[in-house]
Amino acid sequence: DAGITQSPRHKVTETGTPVTLRCHQTENHRYMYWYRQDPGHGLRLIHYSYGVKDTDKGEVSDGYSVSRSKTEDFLLTLESATSSQTSVYFCAISEVRASYEQYFGPGTRLTVT
Amino acid sequence: AQSVTQLDSQVPVFEEAPVELRCNYSSSVSVYLFWYVQYPNQGLQLLLKYLSGSTLVKGINGFEAEFNKSQTSFHLRKPSVHISDTAEYFCAVNFGNEKLTFGTGTRLTIIP
């Protein structure tokens, strides 16, 4: 299994509070991604990174920000959580030499009350 | 726009029967194609992939898929399913950049 961990694995928070999710990899892959998974929508890309301090938006980036200060860590921040951000969040990594095949972390279940 | 379509959101199949899960994409460029499986309360794991070469690719757990360029399809098949195949299956396509576009998934339910 690819060395990808996510923390926390479960979190319940209140509307309006900031939340940060962490993705950590031990594979030294260049690309890292954050997705959210919701019933009927599959996986939707929130943000991705193509190197340290290099990030770009995905299709559902509103309300989210990311940072990558080290190759191994990719943080996803909800500045002010809303109930619509209740979801399961997955991190993934990939490399050019692997034809961008993505390896996924175990996921974080976030509930915003 | 480039998109991936999995028309069947749920597929019930009797145990030991064959199954086909459909995936179509819209693009005229060269693509890389993937099928992922997600077991309950787990992350996604790669089932199989098509990068080039033979259009019939074999994956783990007895699954195979066939790339059809003219029909822009990449359907997943298994000749005889088992209870342990109960999961959600996602088709994903690389349209020539660093991202994957995922279909909305097909939930496969095996009926004993």
Side-chain angles (χ1 to χ4, degrees):
Chain A
D1 289 346
I4 310 170
T5 56
Q6 292 185 232
S7 59
R9 294 293 314 279
H10 301 271
K11 186 170 183 66
V12 179
T13 191
E14 293 184 348
T15 298
T17 60
V19 176
T20 295
L21 308 183
R22 180 180 183 240
C23 176
H24 179 78
Q25 61 147 328
T26 58
E27 305 297 318
N28 200 35
H29 279 30
R30 177 183 176 188
Y31 295 90
M32 299 186 74
Y33 310 80
W34 276 108
Y35 293 92
R36 60 178 291 172
Q37 183 180 23
D38 305 289
H41 291 277
L43 275 79
R44 292 181 292 174
L45 183 64
I46 304 171
H47 283 280
Y48 69 101
S49 169
Y50 47 95
V52 173
K53 295 191 185 335
D54 293 323
T55 65
D56 205 350
K57 295 179 180 180
E59 61 179 300
V60 290
S61 58
D62 287 349
Y64 302 94
S65 63
V66 290
S67 65
R68 191 171 179 197
S69 59
K70 298 185 290 185
T71 298
E72 57 266 35
D73 289 325
F74 192 33
L75 304 180
L76 176 71
T77 297
L78 292 63
E79 301 290 347
S80 177
T82 67
S83 58
S84 64
Q85 293 176 312
T86 292
S87 187
V88 181
Y89 291 85
F90 286 100
C91 174
I93 63 175
S94 76
E95 263 299 351
V96 176
R97 62 178 178 270
S99 304
Y100 299 109
E101 172 185 333
Q102 293 187 9
Y103 305 93
F104 284 82
T108 294
R109 184 173 297 275
L110 176 68
T111 302
V112 183
T113 60
Chain B
Q2 295 165 332
S3 62
V4 180
T5 302
Q6 292 181 250
L7 282 175
D8 304 310
S9 60
Q10 297 187 63
V11 174
V13 181
F14 285 103
E15 193 172 13
E16 298 184 6
V19 68
E20 179 179 83
L21 305 183
R22 296 179 293 167
C23 174
N24 289 85
Y25 64 92
S26 59
S27 176
S28 58
V29 302
S30 295
V31 296
Y32 297 141
L33 301 158
F34 305 85
W35 274 99
Y36 285 85
V37 59
Q38 184 181 33
Y39 299 105
N41 299 312
Q42 294 187 25
L44 279 73
Q45 64 182 81
L46 184 71
L47 204 53
L48 49 77
K49 61 186 175 185
Y50 171 81
L51 303 181
S52 64
S54 172
T55 57
L56 183 64
V57 294
K58 294 186 183 301
I60 62 173
N61 301 337
F63 283 92
E64 63 181 33
E66 186 158 20
F67 169 51
N68 187 317
K69 188 175 181 179
S70 63
Q71 297 188 3
T72 59
S73 67
F74 190 54
H75 300 334
L76 180 70
R77 303 189 191 100
K78 186 170 183 178
S80 175
V81 297
H82 191 265
I83 289 287
S84 59
D85 293 322
T86 295
E88 190 153 22
Y89 293 80
F90 292 94
C91 179
V93 180
N94 179 294
F95 290 107
N97 55 36
E98 65 277 13
K99 296 178 282 187
L100 291 183
T101 301
F102 286 82
T104 51
T106 297
R107 187 172 299 278
L108 177 62
T109 302
I110 309 302
I111 306 166

